[in-house]
Amino acid sequence: NKAAEITGFSREEVMGQNLVEIYITEEYKEKVKMVLDRALIGQETANFEFPLFTKDKQRVDVLLNATTRRDSSGLPVGVIGVGQDITERKRVEEEKTRVAQELQTFIDTANAPIFGIDADGKVNEWNQKAVEITGYTRSEVFGRDLVEVYITAEFRQSVRNVLQNALKGKEAANFEFPIFTKDNSRVELLLNATTRRDVSGAIIGVIGVGQDITDMRK
């Protein structure tokens, strides 16, 4: 009944029909056939993902366990497929991916230096404006300790305090400090430190959005 509900095809419409040839999309026919053929020789498959199209041409994403069906003597006589409709889960995952990509594009192209650190203070975000201002490429800074490597000794403790507070959920706005570029020029930054969280709300790092105020301080 659940298969009929999801696909729109009744038992009478599908019984005796070739499952792969009629109900599986062209791009997945070979893969689904291989899974079913393996199950027919006793090689079962768990968590195989593929799309089905319903009677009204709607796409349904299915997570399938293909189990060998045997007769009383133990010989394979067919396959039982137990599926799970994961269409909504896939939609949510795709939406999360899209939003994450949009956010990454915004960070990369923003007209402000943006950096990120993980829970250990290691750099894991460094946008193009940060590269432009500091002269350090992403590959040079990723995985390095932001405070220890790129902040001058006199400001290390105060910057560390701001970042550690943000890692506890206490965000900071308009914190001013200097950073030295690759060619040892001093750049004055005004920083907003924002707590970064995962989808469950757990704190995983800090995003710092800066403003170059060097000219204002001359």
Side-chain angles (χ1 to χ4, degrees), residues 6 47-50 60-65 81-87 89:
I6 290 174
N47 299 328
F48 175 68
E49 190 176 316
F50 69 99
V60 177
D61 289 293
V62 176
L63 194 65
L64 177 74
N65 289 343
V82 179
Q84 178 185 353
D85 182 354
I86 59 169
T87 309
R89 191 181 84 187

Side-chain angles (χ1 to χ4, degrees), residues 14 32 39 57 61 72 82 88 95 104 114 144 172 193 204 216:
V14 300
V32 174
K57 308 299 183 185
D61 289 293
S72 57
V82 179
E88 182 60 19
E95 179 64 13
Q104 191 61 54
I114 298 177
R144 307 291 299 275
I204 57 172
M216 294 171 57

